[in-house]
Amino acid sequence: MVARTVPVPPFDLVVFGATGDLARRKLIPALYRRLRAGQMPTDARIVGAARSALDDEGFRAQAAEALEEFVPAAEREQNTVDAFLATLSYVAVDAMSDSGWSELRAVLEARTGGDRVRAFYLSVAPRFFAPIAARIAGSGIGGSEGRVVIEKPLGHDLASARELNDELSKHFPECRVYRIDHYLGKETVQNLMALRFANALFEPVWNAQHVDHVQITVAESVGVAGRGGYYDQNGAMRDMVQNHLLQLLCLIAMEPPSQFGPDDVRDEKLKVLRALSMPDIRSEVVRGQYRAANGTASYVDDAGNPDSTTECFVAMKTGIANWRWAGVPFYLRTGKRLRARISEIAVVFKAVPHWIFSGQGGGDAHQNVLAIRVQPDEGITLGMTIKEPGPGGMRLLDADLDMTFAERLGPSISIPDAYERLVMDVIRGDQTLFMRGDEVEAAWAWIDPIIAAWEERGARPSLYDPGSSGPEDALMLMHRDGRRWREIAS
Ligand code: NAD
């Protein structure tokens, strides 16, 4: 079968907040790379919109700087950079007043032509999402097909998430709202779906009969310095678990959809979220904060709040109440200033039912582990038990079948950044890798009672050493069940 890329139609992409951090670090480099890959239609146009008083040239100069900073020199041929910059223009627009909207409309209307896709990327603070959506609709530039793109935080709790969904739905039907969770744009995460649904091997063992447990780790080595004030309002549960970790869990646990269509996939993810069991707050959830050590600041120092009880680490045990997963623990763990930056899902299978090698130097029964590494070094490994070569009995050892993509597929395969895939999916009108409003609400409906119970108890987070694997209680969470976390190692 010949694989083919779905073509991208001509488009106008308006980036609100085009002078901000997300636009500079991610969106502009992602769009440049798509043009360089030949995927950008020649008449594609990108309109920067933000409050700063810039003209087209000023914005292009900023974009050129962003490319220099965030795209390696080897990927920056001058003619490609020039071609990209020529697609850019800029309009100064204020989200909260009428200023700039008629100019933006004029820029967009100057480029009519058949069925151009129009998309609005709201790369701005969440408080602007609803006002900008209203003005896009009110000024008529959204048309009947315009799409709007937003990213976390999508609410602070269930009530605020509902309010945001309600506000957006006044102006954009659900089929035109693209809620990004950039983890879903990562190659390995999509590969997880290929692995499960394009291979006959795993589905028969993908259930409580064969899976011992699942571990999902999203560890960061950096602290919150620089954005501590913002972070302290949220914490790891809201900032990471509500979106990235639960999305990964959904892809591992969902039933096979009948087809790979947006609502088919999202319906199945929603069922997982609704079947999540509530952990015991006292014994199955651990919250942590890093302490000061060797001249590095503590979490509370970084947050600028000595009394902070916000968690920058959380580890928990949950489960999924359905036939496939009944009794299988799902352990989730995420935190700042841990030993390494790594995101990984590990499906740990049960050991064989009867072990015949103990008298042969084979030690205890081993467990197969399917590890899906989301970052860095995207890839998949399958831990197998094999015989150590040589005479002298059945000495067994663990060895990985390793599909680190960069090694397996060769250096010519470059793994695109998640935003490259996601922005092009918006233009193509493919919502499969975007969260639907009811998914976001279902995730908050599970998170809210956990946070409420913490607040009621008023317990302080456990402290952990920077560069460690988190608080001792998190290790105990697994040890008590006779299991252990996989190492956080790069
Ligand atoms: P930022 O503060 O760096 O940039 C904000 C942008 O909004 C600027 O271009 C600014 O000019 C514009 N802006 C501010 N007030 C405006 C107004 N009244 N009218 C029009 N434009 C206005 O923010 P950021 O870090 O780029 O984040 C943007 C959004 O993306 C936020 O919702 C953030 O939570 C989310 N996000 C950011 C990152 C990241 O890596 N930076 C990652 C995930 C999600």
Side-chain angles (χ1 to χ4, degrees):
M1 199 168 51
V2 180
R4 69 190 166 81
T5 310
V6 182
V8 178
F11 66 86
D12 292 305
L13 173 66
V14 181
V15 179
F16 285 92
T19 57
D21 179 65
L22 179 66
R24 279 171 45 74
R25 274 193 315 115
K26 292 291 182 184
L27 304 182
I28 288 170
L31 289 160
Y32 168 77
R33 286 198 168 104
R34 286 299 89 202
L35 180 136
R36 187 169 180 268
Q39 212 191 21
M40 193 97 93
T42 44
D43 50 358
R45 275 170 286 216
I46 299 154
V47 184
R51 231 175 9 175
S52 323
L54 283 175
D55 58 11
D56 291 350
E57 282 315 311
F59 179 54
R60 286 181 189 137
Q62 282 200 3
E65 276 170 28
L67 294 182
E68 262 177 48
E69 196 172 346
F70 299 110
V71 176
E75 294 175 33
R76 280 189 274 118
E77 305 80 10
Q78 195 54 50
N79 55 349
T80 318
V81 171
D82 291 344
F84 175 71
L85 296 179
T87 68
L88 303 182
S89 59
Y90 182 85
V91 185
V93 181
D94 182 8
M96 303 307 275
S97 77
D98 290 339
S99 168
W101 288 89
S102 55
E103 288 82 349
L104 179 59
R105 185 186 174 126
V107 166
L108 290 172
E109 286 183 349
R111 298 160 178 176
T112 47
D115 41 10
R116 293 180 72 78
V117 168
R118 208 173 268 183
F120 302 89
Y121 199 122
L122 311 194
S123 180
V124 290
R127 67 178 186 283
F128 295 128
F129 291 167
I132 292 181
R135 283 182 189 275
I136 291 170
S139 63
I141 56 176
S144 59
E145 297 295 327
R147 296 157 198 174
V148 67
V149 187
I150 55 175
E151 189 169 348
K152 74 167 189 181
L154 301 174
H156 188 72
D157 53 16
L158 178 58
S160 53
R162 271 200 186 129
E163 197 181 317
L164 174 62
N165 282 342
D166 290 349
E167 285 300 317
L168 290 175
S169 70
K170 287 181 190 161
H171 312 292
F172 291 87
E174 184 62 36
C175 63
R176 294 201 271 127
V177 180
Y178 289 73
R179 295 177 190 80
I180 286 194
D181 185 315
H182 71 269
Y183 269 55
L184 297 182
K186 288 181 179 287
E187 282 292 323
T188 348
V189 175
Q190 295 163 57
N191 238 309
L192 173 56
M193 287 190 277
L195 191 79
R196 285 194 60 195
F197 305 133
N199 295 282
L201 207 57
F202 293 109
E203 189 52 26
V205 293
W206 208 258
N207 53 50
Q209 210 185 332
H210 298 282
V211 174
D212 178 72
H213 72 278
V214 175
Q215 302 185 16
I216 303 177
T217 296
V218 177
E220 293 173 89
S221 52
V222 295
V224 301
R227 59 190 282 260
Y230 161 81
Y231 187 90
D232 203 46
Q233 309 291 313
N234 294 290
M237 195 71 169
R238 289 187 168 100
D239 192 48
M240 299 298 290
V241 179
Q242 191 274 343
N243 37 71
H244 306 318
L245 278 90
L246 288 187
Q247 286 294 320
L248 296 179
L249 181 149
C250 283
L251 296 182
I252 284 282
M254 72 185 196
E255 294 300 313
S258 61
Q259 51 189 331
F260 194 58
D263 282 328
D264 307 277
V265 170
R266 299 186 301 175
D267 286 348
E268 296 303 339
K269 283 161 58 194
L270 181 63
K271 285 184 208 161
V272 173
L273 290 167
R274 289 188 172 156
L276 279 177
S277 55
M278 197 45 64
D280 181 319
I281 301 296
R282 284 168 203 278
S283 61
E284 294 179 333
V285 188
V286 175
R287 310 166 71 220
Q289 286 178 345
Y290 53 84
R291 56 164 69 93
N294 306 328
T296 62
S298 65
Y299 170 78
V300 291
D301 290 337
D302 280 345
N305 177 6
D307 299 322
S308 171
T309 55
T310 302
E311 78 290 347
C312 62
F313 174 98
V314 60
M316 64 195 322
K317 175 182 173 184
T318 181
I320 298 162
N322 64 20
W323 277 40
R324 183 186 287 267
W325 295 115
V328 178
F330 282 70
Y331 298 95
L332 312 181
R333 168 176 67 159
T334 182
K336 303 280 184 194
R337 229 180 241 293
L338 296 173
R339 186 167 296 142
R341 172 176 175 263
I342 170 176
S343 298
E344 185 195 76
I345 306 164
V347 180
V348 182
F349 290 90
K350 290 183 176 168
V352 293
H354 172 63
W355 185 245
I356 62 173
F357 297 112
S358 41
Q360 318 277 321
D364 295 331
H366 303 226
Q367 288 176 292
N368 297 123
V369 180
L370 180 71
I372 297 121
R373 166 97 64 141
V374 180
Q375 66 186 17
D377 304 331
E378 296 196 38
I380 296 172
T381 58
L382 179 59
M384 310 281 288
T385 303
I386 59 168
K387 180 188 167 298
E388 197 180 308
M394 285 294 281
R395 291 185 314 275
L396 302 180
L397 54 87
D398 289 333
D400 283 345
L401 287 178
D402 191 340
M403 276 198 297
T404 301
F405 297 151
E407 287 169 21
R408 184 72 187 78
L409 303 175
S412 61
I413 294 287
S414 75
I415 297 182
D417 185 75
Y419 285 90
E420 294 180 49
R421 163 81 201 242
L422 294 173
V423 175
M424 289 299 125
D425 277 1
V426 173
I427 306 299
R428 286 196 200 92
D430 183 349
Q431 288 185 305
T432 311
L433 299 178
F434 297 81
M435 294 179 293
R436 209 167 53 191
D438 50 6
E439 276 182 78
V440 175
E441 291 183 17
W444 280 120
W446 183 75
I447 296 275
D448 274 5
I450 300 174
I451 293 179
W454 285 341
E455 285 171 0
E456 199 174 302
R457 283 186 68 206
R460 294 196 70 86
S462 312
L463 296 180
Y464 61 92
D465 288 333
S468 70
S469 306
E472 195 65 22
D473 309 357
L475 304 182
M476 288 311 297
L477 179 72
M478 284 282 233
H479 284 180
R480 271 203 309 271
D481 293 348
R483 301 186 174 100
R484 44 202 286 220
W485 292 105
R486 284 166 59 82
E487 287 230 343
I488 296 179
S490 48

